[in-house]
Amino acid sequence: MVSSRRNTGAIQRDGSVRDWSEFVDPSPSPKLLYSQSYVAMRGLLSSLISMDFALLSSRLKSAWAAILSQRHTRSPERSKSRGLSCKRLSFHLFVCFMVGIFIGFMPFFSVDVSQKIVSENGRLPFDEGVVDRGMVDSKVKELETIVVEKEVDIIDDSVVEESPPVPAMLDDEADFVEASPEIPDINDLDIPVRKLLIIVTITTVRPQQAYYLNRLAHVLKTVQSPLLWLVVEWPDQSFETAEILRSSGVMYRHLICRKNTTSVRKIAVCQRNSAIYHIKKHRLDGIMHFADEERSYMGDVFEEMRKIRRFGAWPIAIHTGIKYRVVLEGPICKGSRVTGWNTVQKKGAARRFPIGFSGFAFNSTMLWDPQRWNRPPMDSVIVHSGGRGGLQESRFIEKLVKNERQVEGLPEDCNRVMVWNFNLEPPRLNYPSGWSLYNNLDSIIPVT
């Protein structure tokens, strides 16, 4: 039974081989070739499974024959189509190459043509390479005349012409009128221009200093600006003086004089010269006045100072220390012209200008600009320490003016007293440091 099954299987396998071999035909169809190789490989696998070595060799031979037949069989129509496609591709490449060359050379051709046209149209009239200078000069002259005519036209056009009247309707019954805005002249504007007042005050630390400075500060505060208060202190800037100036509400500068001396006269000279040097250094332009802190001032005197052009003076009332007795010292005026002096002749040399520092003011430019006032440039204006009985003030004034013609009397006719000199200085007292008493005073009247 087993053998018979083997034989029948072999017969069936042989028949199957015969049947497939009949279909082996060198056909040009690729599908048929693929099917033949597929069948051959399938038979090979089946033979491996059955382990029949006899049939294995035959299957290998048939598979190899199918592969060789597939490699060597090519369609002639396919080769022809490939040849035609190559020819078409080469033709298209050649056409594109020629078009690119044509487009690339077009800009150069257009530029050469345009340059040629411009050169032919803009050709100058030369005669065989030699320039006709007469013709060139005539062209240059024509251009210059055209430029000049253009400039003249521009200048004529720049002249401001009267604009046409702008109608402005006032009311229903009125006609149109011309409305031309007028620019006001600066001289017609009512803007007060005031000169700078430079007030110089010398001070030292003493019991009545706070009273004098506060009183003068209240007067200066009522004066219209601009005003600069130069306070010169000796020998250092004290804290009490600085506090008074800060709270005064007046523009000020706190200067110091460090002269090592105990002479009251020399200290005052040093302080005034320090203020003069400060004005010269900073070239302050205004009306300068030495305002002693012991003097009593009316606010009108500072407004009168602004009328001074060069040098001005006014009368002062001096209390002599005797009950209800006052002496006037200052100019006698007719209008603003000085005709004489009111004074009390003191012992010693006669004074050319019998007036104190509180009785005059002058233009500060006389200190640092002598050419403006026709003064010698080397003549320095300072206060000298020599001289008693008012000679110090008189010698200082002599450097500023030559005679009474250069002095302006204030106010009109010098008929008002605006500065008072009261001797209110108490005897020597111990100055409390910081305006405070740290120790109690001795009681004179004890309380019982």
Side-chain angles (χ1 to χ4, degrees), residues 13-14 16-17 39-63:
R13 284 190 283 269
D14 292 337
S16 63
V17 170
V39 171
M41 292 299 296
R42 185 176 181 181
L44 179 61
L45 292 174
S46 64
S47 64
L48 289 174
I49 295 172
S50 63
M51 300 297 293
D52 192 353
F53 295 99
L55 296 175
L56 179 63
S57 60
S58 62
R59 296 289 186 273
L60 291 173
K61 290 180 180 180
S62 60

Side-chain angles (χ1 to χ4, degrees), residues 387-406:
R388 292 180 178 270
L391 291 177
Q392 189 180 76
E393 297 89 333
S394 180
R395 291 173 181 175
F396 180 79
I397 296 172
E398 289 176 5
K399 294 185 178 181
L400 300 175
V401 295
K402 297 179 180 180
N403 47 46
E404 283 77 9
R405 293 180 180 177
Q406 298 178 350

Side-chain angles (χ1 to χ4, degrees), residues 292-318:
D292 294 338
E293 57 183 354
E294 297 90 353
R295 307 294 184 263
S296 298
Y297 288 89
M298 293 179 62
D300 298 340
V301 68
F302 297 101
E303 297 299 334
E304 293 289 338
M305 290 181 190
R306 289 196 165 100
K307 301 177 182 178
I308 297 174
R309 181 180 174 274
R310 176 169 182 161
F311 188 94
W314 53 84
I316 300 175
I318 301 174

Side-chain angles (χ1 to χ4, degrees), residues 1-15 50-52 55:
M1 290 296 292
V2 175
S3 60
S4 61
R5 290 178 179 176
R6 291 180 178 175
N7 294 329
T8 56
I11 292 170
Q12 292 176 358
R13 284 190 283 269
D14 292 337
S50 63
M51 300 297 293
D52 192 353
L55 296 175

